[in-house]
Amino acid sequence: MKYIQPVINIEGSEFVVDVDNFLLWEKNNPHNTIQFSDMKDTGDGYEFEYCRDDKNIPFYFYSDNSVMVKLPALIELDPEGMARKYNLSVQDFKGKTDFDIIVDKVEYDKRVFMGILPTFDIASHTFYVDLRMDMLRPKDDFLSKGIVFSKLEGYYIADKKKYLIPYNPKTHEFQEPNYQTITEFPKDLIAVEIPMERNLDPVGWNRKMGLDPKTDLKWVGLKSKHTATIIPWKDTPLLKIIDNNLSLKQKNELKNDSLSDKPKGKGRRI
């Protein structure tokens, strides 16, 4: 039998339950979506303020024409969809919560109860994601200063929730080139994408923020091993910086040539 996503009615409007993307989308306006991550997790379900005018969570904290909506757990809203997504049977949900089904118990126990830090591999070298020290701490390299997150603020890309940094694979450190003079791609550095701290170690992030370790793990995900994405220099902002520096260098050279070609004036005799 073909799987059909269930539909729920919220204040007269029909919304499709999309467990693959953890959201609701309005049947008559698919672009209007409500993320489960934006709802309050009650443990056995979800609740959120719903604005009848916008048919969504209010843009502001309060709306005159809003109502509190309560939803059951995803394993109740769409048991068939959840069973398909996690390769389980509906019978496996008995006595379980969404958290039990979505979050990998082995990974959770390793991180929370055994204190095992996640790792992040950059160009075949392993780092520990150590948020208490605010850094990616290199394994088996005590001479390296590692990669300190507080020094990467200028490299954060908000829409991607990632940092894009210059990295020295020999020293295992974040290293900036001289942006004012650079005229070619650095041969000793590579460009590396690093997910934001919350995505690398959500449990460590929650503890750092004073939150329950389980907060948002269903939506962020929990992995013990990550691998960096290497980005070609030509696909980074460094290309524009180099082009600007070369253009400025060319203008200065033309200016100097022009000055050197001018005839020198004769000195006045006394």
Side-chain angles (χ1 to χ4, degrees):
M1 183 182 296
K2 184 180 179 181
Y3 164 66
I4 299 176
Q5 292 173 302
V7 175
I8 60 174
N9 189 292
I10 302 178
E11 294 295 304
S13 297
E14 291 189 324
F15 284 82
V16 176
V17 180
D18 187 338
V19 297
D20 285 330
N21 296 298
F22 295 130
L23 56 79
L24 305 174
W25 51 269
E26 188 183 354
K27 197 171 183 180
N28 291 333
N29 180 17
H31 294 293
N32 181 34
T33 63
I34 304 174
Q35 302 279 345
F36 277 88
S37 58
D38 291 332
M39 304 177 191
K40 179 182 178 182
D41 189 339
T42 61
D44 59 352
Y46 309 90
E47 63 180 35
F48 62 97
E49 187 180 351
Y50 177 81
C51 177
R52 296 184 181 96
D53 298 325
D54 299 331
K55 297 183 180 181
N56 209 308
I57 295 173
F59 181 75
Y60 297 101
F61 290 108
Y62 176 77
S63 170
D64 291 333
N65 191 20
S66 64
V67 63
M68 188 63 69
V69 172
K70 296 184 178 182
L71 300 178
L74 287 168
I75 55 177
E76 296 178 47
L77 278 171
D78 186 6
E80 183 181 351
M82 289 290 283
R84 291 163 59 95
K85 182 178 176 72
Y86 295 100
N87 196 27
L88 300 168
S89 69
V90 174
Q91 288 71 33
D92 293 326
F93 299 157
K94 188 175 181 180
K96 301 285 183 67
T97 66
D98 283 354
F99 186 90
D100 297 328
I101 300 301
I102 297 172
V103 178
D104 189 313
K105 186 178 186 306
V106 174
E107 295 285 3
Y108 182 78
D109 288 349
K110 281 165 57 177
R111 181 66 189 92
V112 175
F113 300 115
M114 299 173 66
I116 298 175
L117 294 175
T119 60
F120 187 66
D121 285 356
I122 305 178
S124 300
H125 191 86
T126 299
F127 290 76
Y128 294 109
V129 183
D130 194 336
L131 298 191
R132 285 196 297 180
M133 295 184 67
D134 185 41
M135 70 185 303
L136 293 175
R137 178 164 50 85
K139 180 182 179 182
D140 301 328
D141 185 354
F142 299 104
L143 297 177
S144 172
K145 297 177 182 177
I147 300 172
V148 179
F149 285 107
S150 59
K151 294 183 178 180
L152 308 182
E153 292 179 358
Y155 291 86
Y156 185 65
I157 305 172
D159 59 339
K160 288 187 174 183
K161 296 182 179 180
K162 292 180 179 180
Y163 300 95
L164 179 58
I165 71 164
Y167 169 78
N168 189 323
K170 290 185 177 180
T171 63
H172 306 134
E173 295 178 3
F174 160 66
Q175 180 181 320
E176 293 180 301
N178 189 329
Y179 292 117
Q180 292 184 332
T181 61
I182 190 168
T183 55
E184 62 179 3
F185 294 135
K187 296 179 174 59
D188 55 341
L189 304 178
I190 59 176
V192 174
E193 265 191 355
I194 302 175
M196 67 172 291
E197 300 94 304
R198 178 174 179 255
N199 293 341
L200 284 173
D201 182 13
V203 170
W205 176 263
N206 287 338
R207 286 173 170 167
K208 188 174 181 178
M209 296 296 109
L211 302 172
D212 186 297
K214 292 184 177 181
T215 302
D216 289 339
L217 290 192
K218 289 186 291 189
W219 324 125
V220 178
L222 191 61
K223 291 172 57 178
S224 59
K225 295 182 179 180
H226 306 265
T227 302
T229 300
I230 310 300
I231 306 296
W233 281 121
K234 64 181 180 62
D235 297 330
T236 73
L238 188 59
L239 176 61
K240 186 175 181 179
I241 293 173
I242 288 174
D243 286 343
N244 288 339
N245 286 345
L246 286 172
S247 178
L248 183 60
K249 181 180 179 182
Q250 186 178 28
K251 287 179 181 178
N252 288 335
E253 289 175 349
L254 289 173
K255 183 179 178 180
N256 291 334
D257 289 343
S258 176
L259 290 173
S260 64
D261 290 340
K262 286 184 178 181
K264 296 179 181 180
K266 294 181 179 179
R268 179 183 296 180
R269 290 184 180 180
I270 298 176

